[in-house]
Amino acid sequence: MTIMKTLGQFIIEKQADFPYAKGELSRLLRDIGIAAKVVNREVNKAGLADILGESGHVNIQGEGQKKLDVYADEQFMRALSSGGECCVFASEEQDEAVYLNSTVSKDAKYIVCIDPLDGSSNIDVNVSVGTIFSIYRRKSTEGEATLSDILQKGIHQVAAGYIIYGSSTMLVYTTGKGVNGFTLDPSIGEFCLSHPNIIIPEKGNIYSINEGNYVKFPQGIKDYIKYCQIEDVATRRPYVSRYIGSMVADIHRNLLKGGIFLYPTTSSHPQGKLRLLYECNPIAFIVEQAGGKATTGYERILDILPRELHQRCSAIMGSREMVEKVEDFLRP
Ligand code: P6P
């Protein structure tokens, strides 16, 4: 009989990996897990409740905010501000970072960058969506945290993860010692360890890219797409094209099966479309911890020093050999 291990039990067990840990990060991860269960409940009944559709607001990205976007943002901010371990909450849905200086959070050491509901354009058509989060320790040691505490390189993340609200709801995270996946068991309301020590296959035959942008891609990306489509038995080509348009879903599939996810620069998004702090950095940390590679096509994503909160970057992430092949095509 397999021993069931809940997220909470796992977090506490792994806390021993950090000798000086006093439980703050464990409590922070627990708070995220709680908010994820609340969001999951609403996502699962979205079709029934009056929670579909547009909220009528537009976020800083100029994107129409869905009602569930706003709801998810509120739930994570509420859980983190009441949990007392988070001093700054930087969200895709908030123009500016939220500095949680309440009495509960006055000694908080952690910063959370989050995309509360990624892929939200898919919500109304019942396609998987996700939450992506990234956790840093503040660098400053006194006074209130500042923007420079948030704008840290991805290599300084202490933890990162995503929740995928799909055919089942899973929470996948890393604290820098491997990647583990937990599936929500609705009958007991607990995330249970279902995918221990996730390793992405070195090679894969799935490529995920929005080929509708073909004419806007750099030539090297166009050449790589054609490479994927050429028949070659030895390299299992032509590859399989799979693109959901929900980053968490595309990444999760490629993480388990092997493959590559590409959101390169385009003529309409010369910096790339995806956001560095709460999409690319956390996913890059997970992909690298699972043995894969995550670059912009030219440099390691985790080495980028952010200049601004909602900075964008291009993303080529997945099975190491596949990412390196794209880099070859992009090399002058
Ligand atoms: P496109 C969703 O809006 C998102 O941020 C990611 O989840 C997804 O991978 C990407 O944008 C899809 O963008 O331009 O292909 O629709």
Side-chain angles (χ1 to χ4, degrees), residues 67-100:
K67 290 176 183 172
L68 262 176
D69 273 335
V70 175
Y71 177 82
D73 187 56
E74 288 167 354
Q75 296 312 311
F76 281 99
M77 186 152 82
R78 179 176 299 157
L80 291 169
S81 52
S82 59
E85 303 301 345
C86 175
C87 59
V88 183
F89 179 82
S91 166
E92 182 197 40
E93 302 305 329
Q94 308 259 2
D95 297 358
E96 306 297 336
V98 180
Y99 295 87
L100 304 171

Side-chain angles (χ1 to χ4, degrees), residues 63 92 115 117-122 132 209-211 213 243-250 261-263 269 273-275 279:
E63 295 166 346
E92 182 197 40
D115 184 352
L117 209 59
D118 178 72
S120 51
S121 57
N122 289 306
I132 311 172
I209 187 168
N210 182 345
E211 296 194 47
N213 292 325
Y243 189 72
I244 299 171
S246 197
M247 183 184 192
V248 170
D250 281 315
F261 172 86
L262 306 95
Y263 209 109
H269 283 104
K273 173 189 177 186
L274 302 178
R275 295 83 172 177
E279 288 178 326

Side-chain angles (χ1 to χ4, degrees), residues 39-58:
V39 170
N40 175 66
R41 183 186 60 200
E42 292 308 304
V43 167
N44 280 349
K45 66 182 184 185
L48 300 171
D50 175 28
I51 200 149
L52 286 179
E54 302 296 329
S55 66
H57 302 288
V58 175

